[in-house]
Amino acid sequence: MSPKELLYIEDALGHAKEMQTACTDFASQLQDPELKTFAAELSNKLQDCFSKFYSLL
């Protein structure tokens, strides 16, 4: 892999992790149970995405 390709992968992993963290934070702040569950599930899906993408390396 070229250095530029590695930078793209690093950026993608960083964005996925940042979105997962944001969803976790939002879930902890939400009062509505339905929205809280949705944000938590989205956080879990983003964590899975990050893990699968990372495992490709």
Side-chain angles (χ1 to χ4, degrees), residues 26-36:
F26 292 147
S28 70
Q29 296 173 16
L30 290 167
Q31 300 298 318
D32 183 278
E34 191 174 337
L35 287 175
K36 188 179 202 89

Side-chain angles (χ1 to χ4, degrees), residues 19-50:
M19 288 188 302
Q20 187 267 328
T21 301
C23 286
T24 301
D25 291 345
F26 292 147
S28 70
Q29 296 173 16
L30 290 167
Q31 300 298 318
D32 183 278
E34 191 174 337
L35 287 175
K36 188 179 202 89
T37 300
F38 176 77
E41 288 173 357
L42 185 56
S43 175
N44 291 337
K45 287 179 183 179
L46 288 164
Q47 180 61 43
D48 289 343
C49 179
F50 177 88

Side-chain angles (χ1 to χ4, degrees), residues 1-11:
M1 244 184 231
S2 73
K4 191 171 188 175
E5 290 170 323
L6 289 173
L7 285 174
Y8 286 137
I9 291 171
E10 184 179 315
D11 282 347

